[in-house]
């Protein structure tokens, strides 16, 4: 398995696919596991060069017992991009969308365009209350409860029905997959520190912001605020719940494909 080694020695797992076309990186949400993108990758890899990465502290990356922050993870991804070929179209979902914002502001030379999906730039009281409670579940050792609640918050009822056995297996495995729980809790709490709304007008690159109408985890209102703050940003509303790229990879891949084609054309016209 390929790894990028960050400056502090943390090994960041990533995978590549595709051999031709625009280069893009897919950044997962809070779960931090790039396998979230499997359905989207299958649809794009024939004509895109794709990098999928796990966050530090999650997936197949190292999980150091140390402070966590969105800028730190953005720095990991910036280093990975620089080492593997430079600029790319950056696609981030949820926490990945917050990471994409930091990349656009602190590592602008590495982003050809940015897709910010179901994310936030400033936590409101509902967001802070919800994610503080989720961190408290992990800190109390309630990994299975945390996982089950995440399923309810992130999926539509129809998905819960048709994938019940798979989701229950994921809940049963949570004490292992989320270990160490102190790290998972620290990763949840890092979300509360992300506040870049006032900085977003400085982004000078093609941006699209995607929100799902039925998202009860990160409200579409938070995505609308991102789009309003970034000059020229394109706002796309889609049906579904928070995990819409997982439930409808075809729809998500089509949105990405169209946007990247337009962004590439805009770049070459400069």
């Amino acid at each position: 398995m390929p790894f990028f080694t960050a400056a502090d020695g943390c090994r960041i797992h990533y995978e590549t696919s595709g051999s031709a076309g625009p280069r893009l990186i897919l950044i997962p949400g809070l779960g931090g596991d790039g396998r979230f993108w499997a359905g989207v990758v299958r649809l794009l890899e024939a004509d895109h060069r794709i990098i999928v990465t796990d966050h530090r502290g999650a997936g197949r990356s190292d999980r150091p017992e140390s402070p966590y922050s969105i800028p730190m993870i953005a720095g990991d991804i910036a280093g990975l991009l620089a080492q593997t070929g430079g600029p790319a179209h950056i696609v981030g979902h949820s926490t990945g969308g917050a990471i994409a914002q930091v990349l656009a502001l602190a590592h602008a030379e590495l982003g050809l365009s940015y897709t910010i999906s179901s994310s936030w730039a400033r936590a409101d009281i509902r967001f802070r209350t919800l994610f503080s409670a989720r961190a408290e579940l992990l800190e109390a050792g309630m990994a299975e409860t945390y996982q089950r609640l995440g399923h309810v918050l992130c999926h539509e009822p129809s998905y819960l029905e048709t994938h019940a056995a798979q989701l229950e297996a994921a809940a049963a495995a949570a004490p292992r997959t989320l270990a160490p729980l102190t790290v998972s809790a620290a990763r949840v709490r890092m979300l509360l520190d992300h506040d870049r709304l006032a900085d977003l007008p400085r982004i000078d690159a093609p941006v699209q912001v995607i929100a799902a109408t039925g998202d009860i985890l990160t409200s579409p209102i938070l995505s609308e605020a991102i789009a309003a703050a970034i000059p020229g940003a394109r706002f796309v509303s889609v049906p579904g719940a928070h995990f819409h790229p997982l439930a409808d990879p075809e729809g998500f891949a089509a949105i990405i494909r169209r946007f990247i084609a337009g962004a590439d054309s805009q770049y070459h016209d400069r």
Side-chain angles (χ1 to χ4, degrees), residues 18-79:
S19 59
R23 173 174 148 94
L24 71 149
I25 185 166
L26 298 169
I27 309 171
L30 179 59
D33 192 317
R35 286 170 285 199
F36 173 85
W37 294 111
V40 174
V41 169
R42 282 194 296 270
L43 294 161
L44 293 178
E45 63 185 349
D47 51 5
H48 294 77
R49 293 172 294 140
I50 301 172
I51 302 172
V52 177
T53 182
D54 297 347
H55 300 183
R56 69 165 57 217
R60 293 148 291 181
S61 295
D62 288 347
R63 304 184 181 197
E65 294 264 13
S66 60
Y68 282 81
S69 72
I70 288 173
M72 177 182 290
I73 297 173
D76 293 339
I77 293 172

Coordinates of all heavy atoms in Angstrom, one line a residue, residues 18-79:
G18 N -6.5 5.3 -12.6 CA -6.6 6.1 -13.9 C -5.2 6.5 -14.4 O -4.3 6.7 -13.6
S19 N -5.1 6.6 -15.7 CA -3.8 6.9 -16.3 C -3.8 8.1 -17.2 O -2.8 8.5 -17.8 CB -3.2 5.7 -17.0 OG -4.1 5.3 -18.0
A20 N -5.0 8.7 -17.5 CA -5.1 9.8 -18.4 C -6.2 10.7 -18.0 O -7.1 10.4 -17.2 CB -5.4 9.2 -19.8
G21 N -6.1 12.0 -18.5 CA -7.2 13.0 -18.2 C -6.8 13.9 -17.0 O -5.7 13.8 -16.4
P22 N -7.7 14.7 -16.6 CA -7.5 15.6 -15.5 C -7.1 14.9 -14.2 O -7.6 13.8 -13.9 CB -8.8 16.4 -15.3 CG -9.5 16.2 -16.6 CD -9.1 14.9 -17.2
R23 N -6.2 15.6 -13.4 CA -5.8 15.0 -12.1 C -6.7 15.6 -11.0 O -7.0 16.8 -11.0 CB -4.4 15.4 -11.9 CG -3.7 15.0 -10.6 CD -2.3 15.4 -10.7 NE -1.7 15.8 -9.4 CZ -1.1 15.0 -8.6 NH1 -1.0 13.7 -8.8 NH2 -0.5 15.5 -7.4
L24 N -7.2 14.7 -10.2 CA -8.0 15.1 -9.1 C -7.8 14.3 -7.8 O -7.3 13.2 -7.9 CB -9.5 15.1 -9.4 CG -10.2 13.8 -9.5 CD1 -11.7 13.9 -9.1 CD2 -10.2 13.2 -10.9
I25 N -8.0 14.9 -6.7 CA -7.9 14.2 -5.4 C -9.3 14.3 -4.7 O -9.9 15.3 -4.7 CB -6.8 14.8 -4.5 CG1 -6.6 14.0 -3.3 CG2 -7.1 16.3 -4.2 CD1 -5.3 14.3 -2.5
L26 N -9.7 13.1 -4.2 CA -10.9 13.0 -3.5 C -10.6 12.9 -2.0 O -9.9 11.9 -1.5 CB -11.7 11.7 -3.9 CG -12.1 11.7 -5.4 CD1 -12.6 10.4 -5.8 CD2 -13.2 12.8 -5.7
I27 N -11.2 13.8 -1.2 CA -10.9 13.9 0.3 C -12.2 13.5 1.0 O -13.2 14.2 0.9 CB -10.4 15.3 0.7 CG1 -9.3 15.8 -0.2 CG2 -10.0 15.3 2.1 CD1 -8.9 17.2 0.0
P28 N -12.1 12.4 1.8 CA -13.3 12.0 2.5 C -13.7 12.9 3.7 O -12.9 13.8 4.1 CB -13.0 10.6 3.0 CG -11.5 10.6 3.2 CD -11.0 11.6 2.1
G29 N -14.8 12.6 4.3 CA -15.3 13.4 5.4 C -14.7 12.9 6.7 O -13.6 12.4 6.8
L30 N -15.5 13.1 7.8 CA -15.0 12.9 9.2 C -14.5 11.4 9.4 O -13.5 11.2 10.1 CB -16.0 13.2 10.2 CG -15.7 13.0 11.7 CD1 -14.5 13.8 12.1 CD2 -16.9 13.4 12.5
G31 N -15.1 10.5 8.7 CA -14.7 9.1 8.9 C -13.3 8.9 8.4 O -12.5 8.0 8.8
G32 N -12.8 9.8 7.5 CA -11.4 9.8 7.1 C -10.9 8.7 6.2 O -9.7 8.6 6.0
D33 N -11.8 7.8 5.7 CA -11.4 6.7 5.0 C -11.8 6.8 3.5 O -12.9 7.0 3.1 CB -12.2 5.4 5.6 CG -11.6 4.1 5.0 OD1 -11.3 4.0 3.8 OD2 -11.5 3.2 5.9
G34 N -10.7 6.8 2.7 CA -10.9 7.0 1.3 C -11.8 6.0 0.6 O -12.3 6.3 -0.6
R35 N -12.1 4.9 1.2 CA -13.0 3.9 0.6 C -14.4 4.4 0.4 O -15.2 3.8 -0.3 CB -12.9 2.6 1.3 CG -11.6 1.8 1.1 CD -11.4 0.7 2.0 NE -11.0 1.1 3.4 CZ -10.5 0.3 4.3 NH1 -10.2 -0.9 4.0 NH2 -10.1 0.8 5.5
F36 N -14.7 5.5 1.1 CA -16.0 6.2 1.0 C -16.3 6.5 -0.5 O -17.4 6.5 -1.0 CB -16.0 7.5 1.8 CG -17.2 8.4 1.6 CD1 -18.4 8.2 2.3 CD2 -17.1 9.5 0.7 CE1 -19.4 9.0 2.1 CE2 -18.2 10.3 0.5 CZ -19.4 10.1 1.2
W37 N -15.2 6.8 -1.3 CA -15.3 7.2 -2.6 C -15.3 6.1 -3.7 O -15.3 6.4 -4.9 CB -14.1 8.2 -3.0 CG -14.1 9.4 -2.2 CD1 -13.2 9.8 -1.3 CD2 -15.0 10.6 -2.4 NE1 -13.5 11.1 -0.8 CE2 -14.5 11.6 -1.5 CE3 -16.1 10.8 -3.2 CZ2 -15.2 12.8 -1.4 CZ3 -16.7 12.1 -3.1 CH2 -16.3 13.0 -2.2
A38 N -15.4 4.9 -3.3 CA -15.2 3.8 -4.2 C -16.2 3.9 -5.4 O -15.8 3.6 -6.6 CB -15.4 2.4 -3.5
G39 N -17.4 4.1 -5.2 CA -18.4 4.2 -6.3 C -18.1 5.4 -7.3 O -18.2 5.2 -8.5
V40 N -17.7 6.5 -6.7 CA -17.3 7.6 -7.6 C -16.1 7.4 -8.4 O -16.0 7.7 -9.6 CB -17.2 8.9 -6.7 CG1 -16.7 10.1 -7.6 CG2 -18.5 9.3 -6.0
V41 N -15.1 6.7 -7.7 CA -13.8 6.4 -8.4 C -14.1 5.5 -9.6 O -13.6 5.7 -10.7 CB -12.8 5.7 -7.5 CG1 -11.6 5.1 -8.2 CG2 -12.4 6.7 -6.4
R42 N -14.9 4.5 -9.5 CA -15.2 3.6 -10.6 C -15.8 4.3 -11.8 O -15.5 3.9 -12.9 CB -16.2 2.5 -10.1 CG -15.6 1.4 -9.3 CD -16.5 0.2 -9.1 NE -17.7 0.5 -8.4 CZ -17.9 0.4 -7.1 NH1 -16.8 0.0 -6.3 NH2 -19.0 0.7 -6.5
L43 N -16.5 5.4 -11.5 CA -17.2 6.1 -12.6 C -16.2 7.1 -13.3 O -16.5 7.5 -14.4 CB -18.4 6.8 -12.1 CG -19.5 5.8 -11.7 CD1 -20.5 6.5 -10.8 CD2 -20.2 5.2 -12.9
L44 N -15.2 7.5 -12.6 CA -14.3 8.6 -13.1 C -12.9 8.1 -13.6 O -12.2 8.8 -14.3 CB -14.1 9.7 -12.0 CG -15.4 10.5 -11.7 CD1 -15.0 11.5 -10.6 CD2 -15.9 11.3 -12.9
E45 N -12.5 6.9 -13.1 CA -11.1 6.5 -13.3 C -10.8 6.3 -14.8 O -9.6 6.3 -15.2 CB -10.8 5.3 -12.5 CG -11.6 4.1 -12.8 CD -11.3 2.9 -11.9 OE1 -10.3 3.1 -11.1 OE2 -12.0 1.9 -11.9
A46 N -11.8 6.1 -15.7 CA -11.4 5.8 -17.1 C -10.9 7.0 -17.8 O -10.1 6.9 -18.7 CB -12.7 5.3 -17.8
D47 N -11.3 8.2 -17.3 CA -10.8 9.4 -18.0 C -10.3 10.5 -17.0 O -10.3 11.7 -17.3 CB -11.8 10.0 -19.0 CG -13.2 10.2 -18.3 OD1 -13.3 9.9 -17.1 OD2 -14.1 10.5 -19.0
H48 N -9.9 10.1 -15.8 CA -9.3 11.0 -14.8 C -8.2 10.3 -14.1 O -8.2 9.1 -14.0 CB -10.4 11.5 -13.8 CG -11.4 12.3 -14.3 ND1 -12.5 11.8 -15.1 CD2 -11.6 13.7 -14.3 CE1 -13.3 12.8 -15.4 NE2 -12.8 13.9 -15.0
R49 N -7.2 11.0 -13.7 CA -6.1 10.5 -12.9 C -6.5 10.9 -11.4 O -6.5 12.0 -11.0 CB -4.8 11.1 -13.3 CG -4.3 10.7 -14.7 CD -3.1 11.5 -15.1 NE -3.4 12.9 -15.3 CZ -2.6 13.9 -14.9 NH1 -1.4 13.6 -14.3 NH2 -2.9 15.1 -15.1
I50 N -6.8 9.8 -10.6 CA -7.4 10.1 -9.3 C -6.5 9.7 -8.2 O -5.8 8.6 -8.2 CB -8.7 9.2 -9.2 CG1 -9.7 9.6 -10.3 CG2 -9.4 9.4 -7.8 CD1 -10.9 8.8 -10.4
I51 N -6.4 10.5 -7.2 CA -5.8 10.2 -5.9 C -6.9 10.2 -4.8 O -7.8 11.1 -4.8 CB -4.8 11.2 -5.5 CG1 -3.7 11.4 -6.5 CG2 -4.2 10.9 -4.1 CD1 -2.7 12.5 -6.2
V52 N -7.0 9.1 -4.0 CA -7.9 9.0 -2.9 C -7.0 8.9 -1.7 O -6.1 8.0 -1.6 CB -8.9 7.9 -3.1 CG1 -9.7 7.8 -1.8 CG2 -9.7 8.0 -4.3
T53 N -7.3 9.7 -0.7 CA -6.4 9.7 0.5 C -7.3 9.4 1.8 O -8.5 9.7 1.9 CB -5.7 11.0 0.7 OG1 -4.8 10.9 1.8 CG2 -6.6 12.2 0.8
D54 N -6.6 8.7 2.8 CA -7.2 8.7 4.1 C -6.6 9.8 4.9 O -5.5 10.2 4.7 CB -6.8 7.3 4.8 CG -7.4 6.1 4.1 OD1 -8.3 6.3 3.2 OD2 -6.9 5.0 4.4
H55 N -7.4 10.3 5.9 CA -6.8 11.3 6.8 C -5.8 10.7 7.8 O -6.0 9.5 8.1 CB -7.9 11.9 7.7 CG -9.0 12.6 7.0 ND1 -10.0 13.2 7.6 CD2 -9.3 12.8 5.7 CE1 -10.9 13.8 6.8 NE2 -10.4 13.5 5.6
R56 N -4.9 11.5 8.3 CA -4.2 11.0 9.5 C -5.2 10.7 10.6 O -6.2 11.4 10.8 CB -3.2 12.0 10.0 CG -3.7 13.3 10.6 CD -2.6 14.1 11.3 NE -1.4 14.4 10.5 CZ -0.2 14.4 11.0 NH1 0.0 14.1 12.3 NH2 0.8 14.7 10.2
G57 N -5.0 9.7 11.4 CA -5.9 9.4 12.5 C -7.1 8.5 12.1 O -8.0 8.3 12.9
A58 N -7.2 8.1 10.8 CA -8.3 7.3 10.3 C -7.9 6.4 9.2 O -6.8 6.5 8.7 CB -9.4 8.3 9.9
G59 N -8.9 5.6 8.8 CA -8.6 4.7 7.7 C -7.4 3.8 7.9 O -7.2 3.3 8.9
R60 N -6.5 3.8 6.8 CA -5.3 3.0 6.9 C -4.1 3.8 7.2 O -3.0 3.4 7.1 CB -5.2 2.2 5.6 CG -6.3 1.2 5.4 CD -6.7 1.0 3.9 NE -7.4 2.1 3.4 CZ -7.9 2.2 2.2 NH1 -7.7 1.2 1.3 NH2 -8.5 3.3 1.8
S61 N -4.3 5.1 7.5 CA -3.2 6.0 7.9 C -2.8 5.7 9.4 O -3.6 5.1 10.1 CB -3.6 7.5 7.7 OG -3.8 7.8 6.3
D62 N -1.7 6.3 9.8 CA -1.3 6.2 11.2 C -2.2 7.0 12.0 O -2.9 7.9 11.6 CB 0.1 6.7 11.4 CG 1.2 5.8 10.8 OD1 0.9 4.6 10.5 OD2 2.4 6.3 10.7
R63 N -2.3 6.6 13.3 CA -3.2 7.2 14.3 C -2.5 7.7 15.5 O -2.7 7.2 16.6 CB -4.4 6.3 14.6 CG -5.1 5.8 13.4 CD -6.3 4.9 13.8 NE -6.9 4.4 12.6 CZ -8.2 3.9 12.5 NH1 -8.9 3.8 13.7 NH2 -8.7 3.4 11.4
P64 N -1.6 8.7 15.4 CA -0.9 9.2 16.5 C -1.7 9.8 17.6 O -2.7 10.5 17.3 CB 0.1 10.2 15.9 CG -0.6 10.7 14.7 CD -1.3 9.5 14.1
E65 N -1.4 9.6 18.8 CA -2.1 10.2 20.0 C -1.5 11.6 20.1 O -0.6 11.9 20.9 CB -1.9 9.4 21.2 CG -2.5 8.1 21.2 CD -3.9 8.1 21.9 OE1 -4.4 9.2 22.1 OE2 -4.4 7.0 22.1
S66 N -1.9 12.6 19.3 CA -1.4 13.9 19.3 C -2.5 14.9 18.9 O -3.6 14.4 18.5 CB -0.3 14.0 18.3 OG -0.7 13.7 17.0
P67 N -2.3 16.2 19.0 CA -3.3 17.1 18.6 C -3.7 17.0 17.1 O -2.9 16.6 16.3 CB -2.7 18.5 18.9 CG -1.6 18.2 19.9 CD -1.1 16.9 19.6
Y68 N -5.0 17.2 16.8 CA -5.5 17.1 15.5 C -6.1 18.5 15.1 O -6.7 19.1 15.9 CB -6.5 16.0 15.3 CG -5.9 14.6 15.3 CD1 -5.5 14.0 16.4 CD2 -5.7 14.0 14.1 CE1 -4.9 12.7 16.4 CE2 -5.1 12.8 14.0 CZ -4.7 12.1 15.1 OH -4.1 10.9 15.0
S69 N -6.0 18.8 13.8 CA -6.6 20.0 13.3 C -6.8 19.9 11.8 O -6.1 19.1 11.1 CB -5.7 21.3 13.6 OG -4.6 21.3 12.8
I70 N -7.8 20.6 11.3 CA -8.0 20.6 9.9 C -6.8 21.2 9.1 O -6.4 20.6 8.1 CB -9.3 21.4 9.6 CG1 -10.5 20.5 10.0 CG2 -9.4 21.7 8.1 CD1 -11.8 21.1 9.9
P71 N -6.1 22.3 9.6 CA -4.9 22.7 8.8 C -3.8 21.7 8.8 O -3.1 21.6 7.8 CB -4.5 24.0 9.6 CG -5.8 24.5 10.2 CD -6.6 23.3 10.6
M72 N -3.7 20.9 9.9 CA -2.7 19.8 9.9 C -3.0 18.8 8.8 O -2.1 18.4 8.0 CB -2.6 19.2 11.2 CG -1.6 18.0 11.3 SD -1.6 17.2 12.9 CE -0.9 18.5 13.9
I73 N -4.2 18.4 8.6 CA -4.6 17.4 7.6 C -4.5 18.0 6.2 O -4.0 17.4 5.3 CB -6.0 16.9 7.9 CG1 -6.1 16.1 9.2 CG2 -6.5 16.0 6.7 CD1 -7.4 15.7 9.6
A74 N -4.8 19.3 6.1 CA -4.6 20.0 4.8 C -3.1 20.0 4.5 O -2.8 19.9 3.3 CB -5.2 21.4 4.9
G75 N -2.3 20.2 5.4 CA -0.8 20.2 5.2 C -0.3 18.8 4.7 O 0.5 18.7 3.8
D76 N -0.9 17.8 5.3 CA -0.6 16.4 4.9 C -0.9 16.2 3.4 O -0.1 15.7 2.6 CB -1.4 15.4 5.6 CG -1.0 15.3 7.1 OD1 0.1 15.7 7.5 OD2 -1.8 14.8 7.9
I77 N -2.1 16.7 3.0 CA -2.6 16.5 1.6 C -1.8 17.4 0.7 O -1.5 17.0 -0.4 CB -4.1 16.8 1.5 CG1 -4.8 15.7 2.3 CG2 -4.6 16.9 0.1 CD1 -6.3 16.0 2.5
A78 N -1.4 18.6 1.1 CA -0.6 19.5 0.3 C 0.8 18.8 0.0 O 1.3 18.8 -1.1 CB -0.3 20.8 1.0
G79 N 1.4 18.2 1.0 CA 2.6 17.4 0.8 C 2.4 16.2 -0.1 O 3.3 16.0 -0.9

